[in-house]
Amino acid sequence: PSAGVLFVHVLEREHFKGEFPPYPKPGDSSNDPITFNTNLMGYPDRPGWLRYIQRTSHSDGVLYGSPTAEHVGKATIIEIIAYNRRTFETARHNLVINIMSTEEYPLPYQAEFYIKNMNVEEMLASEVLGDFLGAVKNVWQPERLNAVNITSALDRGGRVPLPINNLKEGVYVMVGADVQFSSCLREVENSQNQLRCSQEMEPVISCDKKFRAQFDIDWCKINLVDITKMIMIHSNRPDPGTGVLPDIGGYNPPPESLKSRDFFADFLITLAVPSAVAMVLFSVLGYSMCCRREGVDKRNMQTPDIQLVHHSSIQKSTKELRSMSKNREISWPLSTLPVFSQSEEVVPPIHPDNYETTSMPLMQTQTVAGVSKHTEWLGCPNTPGGWGV
């Protein structure tokens, strides 16, 4: 690759299938799921300018990125590990990347397009990228035109699209040229198109029809950069160093004989203090509930006399009725008597002919607590055992 120019390298699954044993059954098509792990030799990750993407385990992986002038002349060794998900075997290859310098780096005029109907791995295909550069060259008319960088919209804070209507993630494509921007590319900067973009409306671009057949470009997100007018600011950055910690010797474990520690103070703070507070609260609660009761006398003093007399008369009448009901002497209802005895002989009822004899009054008129009361038992002559008050 050259500095400032997009570099794309495809990791083809067919190239790594020969590293793994074939299917056990002859005639079966070998379609092993293979994933790739890429990193810089001796480091856990790739260089900062190099990215990797693989959509599924049945698709090829792609390494892509745009190196800068800082990487020129440095051999970059990428370690590629292919992992077979069926046999759990691995294959290791090394990819050596020698970055070359170019006189035209960097191209002074750069334009970044946002394509809504593409994913990054689709845009990295040589045919699709060639068609896009051809459309840009037809609009821009430069002498030299290169793809500078490609970035997924997800890396710019975009959201993962819903799996409906074949929606795509979107991709940012930056191209560079050696001539001024064309009038068509600058149409988005006029006031009318800026107003339409602020209202979330599509701007009117005359050259959009040259892209619309294959690429859906969001012209409101186009970014035109003129490097010749940019002011370079040199900041004093700290030296990042080698990334290796200095050697401070071996590990020095603590001694086996540790100093004794007195836990009595911890015991007092943890158990004694909360227990004392709980006992005080329990004493206050017990005194409030048991020692400060109002009592029956105070309750009676605050209750009207007529209410106390009424309550007392009701209570006495209830007790007297209960005591008299226990002392009543009357024959049991017919429904409660046994029909057959142990000798299997039919026992005649007590009153076989007259059921009205059970309707005798239970008690005569009596006076309870100065109130005249009359209670009698009424029997239903046609229903054995039917009783009521």
Side-chain angles (χ1 to χ4, degrees), residues 215-228:
F215 306 100
D216 186 8
I217 298 178
D218 188 350
W219 292 99
C220 292
K221 293 185 179 181
I222 189 173
N223 187 20
L224 305 178
V225 180
D226 187 356
I227 298 181
T228 59

Side-chain angles (χ1 to χ4, degrees), residues 6 48 63 70 85 87 106 119 123 131 189 246 250 257 305 318 353:
L6 180 66
L63 287 169
E70 300 176 355
R85 296 288 179 175
T87 61
N119 289 334
M123 197 66 198
D131 294 342
E189 296 180 349
S257 58
D305 295 339
T318 303
D353 298 328

Side-chain angles (χ1 to χ4, degrees), residues 264-281:
F264 182 73
D266 297 338
F267 169 77
L268 293 179
I269 296 175
T270 307
L271 296 178
V273 174
S275 300
V277 174
M279 290 298 297
V280 171
L281 295 178

Side-chain angles (χ1 to χ4, degrees), residues 56-128:
T56 64
S57 58
H58 293 281
S59 60
D60 296 335
V62 182
L63 287 169
Y64 67 100
S66 180
T68 61
E70 300 176 355
H71 306 93
V72 173
K74 299 179 181 178
T76 303
I77 303 177
I78 303 298
E79 188 177 20
I80 303 172
I81 301 176
Y83 180 57
N84 191 324
R85 296 288 179 175
R86 179 182 66 88
T87 61
F88 304 102
E89 296 185 352
T90 59
R92 187 187 303 269
H93 286 190
N94 291 334
L95 174 66
V96 181
I97 302 176
N98 296 313
I99 302 173
M100 309 298 294
S101 62
T102 57
E103 297 179 358
E104 54 191 38
Y105 171 81
L107 293 174
Y109 304 98
Q110 297 180 0
E112 187 179 51
F113 299 85
Y114 175 59
I115 305 175
K116 297 185 291 185
N117 64 333
M118 287 286 175
N119 289 334
V120 62
E121 70 275 6
E122 298 173 349
M123 197 66 198
L124 290 172
S126 58
E127 298 83 2
V128 179

Side-chain angles (χ1 to χ4, degrees), residues 16 43 66 180 217 227 233-234 295-296 316 318 344 386:
F16 289 87
Y43 293 87
S66 180
Q180 287 279 352
I217 298 178
I227 298 181
I233 299 177
H234 299 278
V296 179
K316 291 180 180 179
T318 303
E344 297 183 358

Side-chain angles (χ1 to χ4, degrees), residues 10 24 47 72 96 103 121 127 129 161 185-186 209 215 229 233 255 287 294 298 318 378:
V10 180
V72 173
V96 181
E103 297 179 358
E121 70 275 6
E127 298 83 2
L129 184 59
L185 298 179
R186 290 192 177 275
K209 58 183 178 181
F215 306 100
K229 297 181 181 181
I233 299 177
Y287 174 75
E294 295 180 353
K298 186 175 182 181
T318 303
L378 299 179

